[in-house]
Amino acid sequence: KFDQHATTETSQATLASVSPVFAGMKFDKEGNTTYFEKKKTELYQELGLQARDLRFQHVMSIATRNNRIIMRMEVLKAVITPEFLLILDYRNLSLEHWLLNELASQLSGEGQLVTYALPFEFRAIEAILQYWISKLQGRLNNLQPQILETLEALVDPKLLSVDRSKLHILLQNGKSLSELETDLKVFKETILEILDEEELIEELCLSKWSDPQVFEESTSGIDHAEEMELLLENYYRQAEDLANEARELRVLIDDSESIIFINLDSHRNVMMRLNLQLTMGTFSLSLFGLIGVAFGMNLQSSLEEDPRIFWLVTGIMFLGSGLIWRRLLSFLGRHLEPPLPPHVPAVLKKSQPATGRAEIKSSLKAETFGLSRSTLANQ
């Protein structure tokens, strides 16, 4: 037993010595920043958390553990307490500019945070949500002009073929837009899960349970849970607006693809009709060419001695070929013309402006909803 106990202590010491290390930044209420490197086991004990709480397996999550708020925004990992904010594994994540120039000033009250008068966790949550919404907005602002420019170049009725390089760019932008839509959906679902549960909103108000003064204010009339709910609803609405803009771009891409296919089908039909006309001309010429074949055989007759027979036979061949070709073209034109619209009685024509005006307006609104962000609607 003594040997087993000694072996267990040795193994624990070995695991502690080789355990991963967190490199983090600590922000206090005044915006002061300190850097630290600690082993995960030490950080667990200091924060009163367990190992599973800092694994950050989800793409985005907001949870509370032991009066601590644990937030994960893809690469951003944060732990919020009533006294400070921890940003973990911030290196090589392109977050230095935001952490050094914006986050510290926002937490100290120099930024434009609405929740500065509220406890510290409100400021920390708002700063992180504001950063993530601005990042999603920046991605959408970069994609929107590229997609509109590519679609405007593709949906040109004068083009007989589609530029493959433009299609490749549109494919890449479409994938980026799908990723953005997925991130916005996850962001909204994460916040909506908290808004649906009043207990989760109460748990996010850390100072209400740790600071007696804040608890007295909450009981006297200042509802911190309501303020937290309003904060989350604000960023949920912003994410919903971004999702609507991304959805409009997706509808615009789908409509433009339909227009591209229609243009290509139109050009393809023109080429097929031209090919059919040439085929009919070749057929009519070959049909009357049999006369020349008959006269070109090595047969003895009195017609080959007359020099006028050559021109007569040649004229009959070309004249007959032309007549047959014209006949075939008229037959083709009759069968390819669109059918006439059905006859509308006079009574229906009189009642049409009153009932059809609303339908026309609704159809125009539906068309401008998908194509209002581009000059493609004018085309």
Side-chain angles (χ1 to χ4, degrees):
K1 291 182 180 180
F2 177 77
D3 294 338
Q4 291 178 357
H5 182 69
T7 305
T8 304
E9 290 182 352
T10 305
S11 62
Q12 291 179 355
T14 305
L15 291 175
S17 62
V18 299
S19 61
V21 176
F22 270 130
M25 297 179 64
K26 182 178 180 180
F27 299 87
D28 58 8
K29 297 181 179 180
E30 288 75 21
N32 299 322
T33 308
T34 56
Y35 302 87
F36 67 90
E37 288 186 1
K38 288 186 179 180
K39 298 179 181 179
K40 288 187 176 182
T41 53
E42 296 178 359
L43 190 60
Y44 298 151
Q45 296 174 359
E46 181 179 345
L47 297 176
L49 301 175
Q50 298 182 3
R52 63 174 181 269
D53 297 331
L54 297 182
R55 287 174 183 170
F56 298 103
Q57 297 177 354
H58 302 285
V59 176
M60 179 177 177
S61 61
I62 302 176
T64 56
R65 296 286 189 278
N66 195 16
N67 204 26
R68 303 284 188 267
I69 300 176
I70 304 171
M71 298 186 65
R72 167 70 184 265
M73 302 286 180
E74 285 191 356
V75 297
L76 180 61
K77 307 173 185 178
V79 178
I80 303 173
T81 68
E83 293 80 17
F84 56 85
L85 166 65
L86 294 181
I87 304 295
L88 306 177
D89 293 340
Y90 66 93
R91 297 177 179 176
N92 301 323
L93 297 179
S94 302
L95 299 176
E96 286 81 2
H97 177 75
W98 173 67
L99 292 175
L100 298 177
N101 300 331
E102 298 181 12
L103 181 58
S105 60
Q106 289 177 347
L107 295 178
S108 61
E110 298 177 2
Q112 298 180 355
L113 296 181
V114 183
T115 57
Y116 175 68
L118 295 172
F120 177 76
E121 63 269 15
F122 285 82
R123 282 177 278 165
I125 293 175
E126 184 181 4
I128 295 175
L129 294 179
Q130 186 180 23
Y131 165 74
W132 195 247
I133 282 291
S134 62
K135 186 177 180 180
L136 295 175
Q137 180 70 52
R139 290 169 58 184
L140 182 61
N141 293 337
N142 292 332
L143 283 175
Q144 187 172 8
Q146 297 178 7
I147 292 176
L148 295 179
E149 182 180 359
T150 305
L151 292 179
E152 187 176 359
L154 288 174
V155 188
D156 190 356
K158 299 180 181 179
L159 296 178
L160 298 179
S161 61
V162 179
D163 191 358
R164 292 185 178 180
S165 61
K166 296 292 184 180
L167 287 178
H168 183 67
I169 295 174
L170 182 62
L171 179 61
Q172 292 180 345
N173 292 333
K175 291 181 179 179
S176 301
L177 183 61
S178 300
E179 294 176 357
L180 178 60
E181 290 176 341
T182 302
D183 293 341
L184 288 171
K185 181 180 178 181
V186 173
F187 184 89
K188 293 192 301 178
E189 290 178 352
T190 303
I191 296 182
L192 191 60
E193 289 178 358
I194 300 176
L195 292 175
D196 291 339
E197 298 291 338
E198 295 182 359
E199 296 179 357
L200 296 179
I201 298 176
E202 291 282 351
E203 292 177 358
L204 292 178
C205 303
L206 304 180
S207 300
K208 181 178 179 179
W209 312 108
S210 59
D211 192 349
Q213 182 179 359
V214 175
F215 182 78
E216 292 177 359
E217 292 178 356
S218 61
T219 55
S220 61
I222 301 177
D223 192 352
H224 288 80
E226 184 178 355
E227 295 292 338
M228 181 64 70
E229 184 177 1
L230 293 175
L231 174 64
L232 296 177
E233 286 181 352
N234 179 28
Y235 286 97
Y236 179 83
R237 287 194 298 267
Q238 294 185 28
E240 184 67 24
D241 294 338
L242 293 180
N244 292 333
E245 295 182 10
R247 195 177 300 112
E248 290 181 6
L249 279 180
R250 176 63 61 187
V251 172
L252 184 60
I253 291 176
D254 296 338
D255 294 341
S256 301
E257 288 179 353
S258 302
I259 296 175
I260 292 171
F261 291 147
I262 291 174
N263 291 335
L264 293 178
D265 291 339
S266 176
H267 294 304
R268 190 180 299 111
N269 293 336
V270 170
M271 298 302 296
M272 292 175 63
R273 183 163 184 167
L274 178 60
N275 186 20
L276 183 58
Q277 292 175 356
L278 294 177
T279 303
M280 290 187 299
T282 305
F283 169 75
S284 59
L285 187 61
S286 301
L287 183 62
F288 276 87
L290 295 176
I291 300 176
V293 174
F295 278 92
M297 297 177 65
N298 296 326
L299 299 177
Q300 298 294 330
S301 64
S302 59
L303 297 178
E304 66 269 6
E305 297 177 359
D306 191 352
R308 293 174 297 178
I309 296 299
F310 172 76
W311 300 107
L312 180 62
V313 173
T314 304
I316 293 173
M317 289 172 54
F318 281 101
L319 181 61
S321 300
L323 291 176
I324 291 181
W325 190 39
R326 290 291 299 176
R327 186 67 178 175
L328 292 175
L329 288 180
S330 62
F331 175 79
L332 178 65
R334 287 197 306 270
H335 286 76
L336 291 182
E337 287 180 357
L340 295 176
H343 178 69
V344 181
V347 179
L348 295 178
K349 288 183 179 179
K350 292 181 180 179
S351 61
Q352 182 179 2
T355 59
R357 189 176 297 111
E359 296 179 357
I360 294 174
K361 288 183 179 181
S362 62
S363 62
L364 289 176
K365 288 181 181 179
E367 290 177 358
T368 54
F369 177 76
L371 300 176
S372 60
R373 293 186 169 275
S374 174
T375 56
L376 303 178
N378 297 327
Q379 295 180 359

